[in-house]
Amino acid sequence: MKYTQEINKRKTFAIISHPDAGKTTLTEKFLLFGGAIQTAGAVKSNKIKKHATSDFMEIERQRGISVATSVMTFEYKNHLVNLLDTPGHRDFAEDTYRTLTAVDSVVLVIDSVNGVEEQTRRLMGVISMRKTPVMVFINKLDRDGKNRFDLLEEIEKELSIQLHPMTWPINSGKDFKGVYDLEKESLVLFTPGSKAEDVLEISDLADARLNKKIGEKDAAVLAEDVELLRGVYGNLPVEDYLKGDVAPVFFGSAVNNFGVKEMLDTFIRIAPTPRPRETTSKIVAPDDEKFSGFIFKIHANLDPKHRDRIAFLRVCSGKFERNTYYHHVRLNKDVRFSNPYSFLARQKDVIEEAFPGDVVGLFDTGNFKIGDTLTEGDNFYFTGIPSFSPEIFKEVINKDPMKTKQLEKGLIQLTDEGVAQLFTQFGGTKKIIGCVGELQFEVIQYRLLQEYGASVQLNSLPFYKACWLTSNNDKKLLDFSRFKQANIGEDKDGNMIYLAQSEWFLNTEITNNPDIQFHFTSEIHK
Ligand code: G4P
C-alpha cells in the first residue's frame, strides 16, 4: 500500500467534556508534551469564555481566533496527532457533534467532583451511536471528589459504557497522594507544582516502600483495591476499546499535569489510526489509493472586513494534493484548491499534500455544505454525518417583502453551513429555524441582514424537539400528519418532521403510534 506509513503514523481525536471539567487544561498539557506550545496558558486565551457574554460578536471574535486552533497537530513518540478542538460553549454544541464525525477516537474528561454532567451525557449519545473508541480522564483529583468506586458506577450507568481502570487514585483532595498504574505496576506520586513525576516500580503491593511512601493506612487500602481491580478487570481488552465497547480510565489532575502522561502514552500506543469509513456505495479504507474526504464543518467569518469561509475537510483515503482537480459529488463538478492549509504549529500554512486522518482548511465561496464529499471521480457520499434535533425553534417573519428572494437564499446558505436547521410547516409556507442555542439566532439575524440585506423578526415557538418521522406504513404516516398538522413540518430535503411541545407529548405520540418511528437524528446522506 502506498501510504501505509503515513496512515499508521496518524491519530485523529477530540477531547470533550462538560464545560469547566478541564478540557482546555488537558488540551494544553497534551500540546506541551507534544512540543506544540511552550508555555502554559497559550490555549486558554483562545477559549470562548463560557460565562463571558451573550454578545455574539465578542464570541465570534474569539471564535475567529479559535479557527487557528480548530485542529492542533503535534508529534509525540513518532506519531502525528491531530487534536480537533470542540467549542466549549453550549450554544455551539452542534459544531461539536459534527466534529465528532471527523475523529477516530475521543478523550472524555470528567470532573471528579461533579461526576457525569448534562453535556457529557449528550456528547456520549453521539459517540456511542458511532461506536467511537473512548478514553476517560477523571480530573481534579486534587479536590475532594466522589468516592472513586461510586464514580465509576455512575459513569458506567449513565453513559452505558463499560469502564476499565488503568490507573487508580490514592485518596483525593488534600490527601491525594498519587495514582497506582495498574498496567505498568508502578506508583506515581503526586507532588503539587512539581514538573517531573516521581515514579516507583512496585509490582508487589506488600513492598515495604509503599508504606514508607504513602503511609500504612493508605498502603493497605490501595493493596486491597488493586487486588479487587485485578480480579475484576485483568488486562485491558484493546480490541474491545477499539470497538467502542470498553473505555480505559485514568485518574489525575490536569492543572497539575498529573496523570496526563500515563494517558497520553497509552493513547499513543493503542488509540486507532485512521479508520475505514462507510459511504453510500462501499466502505472506504484509509489505504485505498484514490483520494476521498468530506466536509464536516464550515466556518464563516462575521467580520465584514474579512468575509471568508473555511470548509474543513477530513481526508479519509489516498492523498490530497494542492492544485489538483477533485470531484465535488453533490455539484457534479471538478474543483481544485490553490491554497489549502493545514493547522500545523497553529499557523495557517499552505500545504502541498495531506493524508488520511488529516484535516485541511479550504477557502470556500459558497460551494460547500456540511456532508459534501470530494473524490477522485467516484460518486459516493460518506455516511454517518447526521443532523441533530434542534432544541429551540423560532418562526421567521420577513420584515421586508421586497427582499423575499434574498431571505430565501440567505436561509438556504446559512443552514447549509450548519448554523441552524430550516423547516417548513406542513401545508404552509411558515419557515421555522431550529438551533441548539440562543446565540445562533442572533448570528442568523445579523448575517441575514449584513450579507443578504434581509431583515427578519424571529418569534419563539413552543416546541422542544423536532423528530424525523419514518414508517413502513404510508397510510399511517399520512393520517398522523393530517391529524397533527400544527406539529408537522418538513426539513430542507422534504423529510417529514414532528415538532413536539414537550417530552410528555413526544412520549405519548411514540406510545400511541407504534407503526411510526421517531428519530432524533437524520442522516444527511442515506
Ligand atoms: P473546560 O475547557 O472543560 O471548560 O475547562 P478548563 O480547562 O477551562 O478548566 C476549568 C477550570 O478548572 C479552570 O479554572 C481550571 O484551571 C480548573 N482545573 C482544570 N484542571 C484542574 C484540576 O486538575 N484541579 C483543579 N483544582 N482545577 C482544575 P478557572 O478558575 O475557571 O480558570 P483559571 O482561572 O484557572 O484559568
Side-chain angles (χ1 to χ4, degrees), residues 134-188:
V134 184
M135 243 175 229
V136 178
F137 187 77
I138 298 183
N139 192 24
K140 306 197 185 179
L141 262 289
D142 59 320
R143 293 178 56 190
D144 286 322
K146 299 189 175 188
N147 171 293
R148 51 215 182 283
F149 284 107
D150 292 347
L151 196 56
L152 290 192
E153 199 183 315
E154 176 184 327
I155 300 171
E156 288 204 331
K157 217 164 111 198
E158 292 231 20
L159 305 181
S160 311
I161 188 158
Q162 212 182 314
L163 299 179
H164 188 106
M166 303 293 285
T167 61
W168 194 247
I170 303 150
N171 299 329
S172 65
K174 60 178 177 5
D175 296 327
F176 182 50
K177 293 190 176 155
V179 295
Y180 184 74
D181 188 326
L182 291 152
E183 215 169 50
K184 290 204 192 115
E185 304 194 322
S186 55
L187 182 70
V188 191

Side-chain angles (χ1 to χ4, degrees), residues 16-27 44 47-51 88 109 111 137 139-143 252-258:
I16 55 167
S17 76
H18 185 85
D20 265 351
K23 178 176 77 76
T24 315
T25 313
L26 188 66
T27 300
K44 201 118 246 186
K47 180 173 156 176
I48 297 171
K49 285 277 174 237
K50 49 251 155 197
H51 322 291
V109 187
D111 182 330
F137 187 77
N139 192 24
K140 306 197 185 179
L141 262 289
D142 59 320
R143 293 178 56 190
S253 168
V255 80
N256 289 295
N257 203 6
F258 184 82

Side-chain angles (χ1 to χ4, degrees), residues 299 369 449 504:
H299 180 96
K369 71 185 208 182
L449 189 63
W504 185 87

Side-chain angles (χ1 to χ4, degrees), residues 9-13 27 30-37 67-76 79-85 341-347 349 351 354-355 357-360:
K9 233 178 119 176
R10 284 164 164 77
K11 312 241 176 199
T12 300
F13 82 114
T27 300
F30 273 15
L31 296 181
L32 283 166
F33 277 117
I37 54 170
V67 164
T69 57
S70 290
V71 186
M72 292 161 275
T73 304
F74 61 92
E75 283 193 52
Y76 187 72
H79 282 275
L80 198 73
V81 183
N82 291 314
L83 169 49
L84 273 54
D85 192 24
Y341 67 79
S342 79
F343 303 85
L344 198 66
R346 304 172 63 234
Q347 283 163 7
D349 290 332
I351 50 145
F355 296 94
D358 287 343
V359 172
V360 181

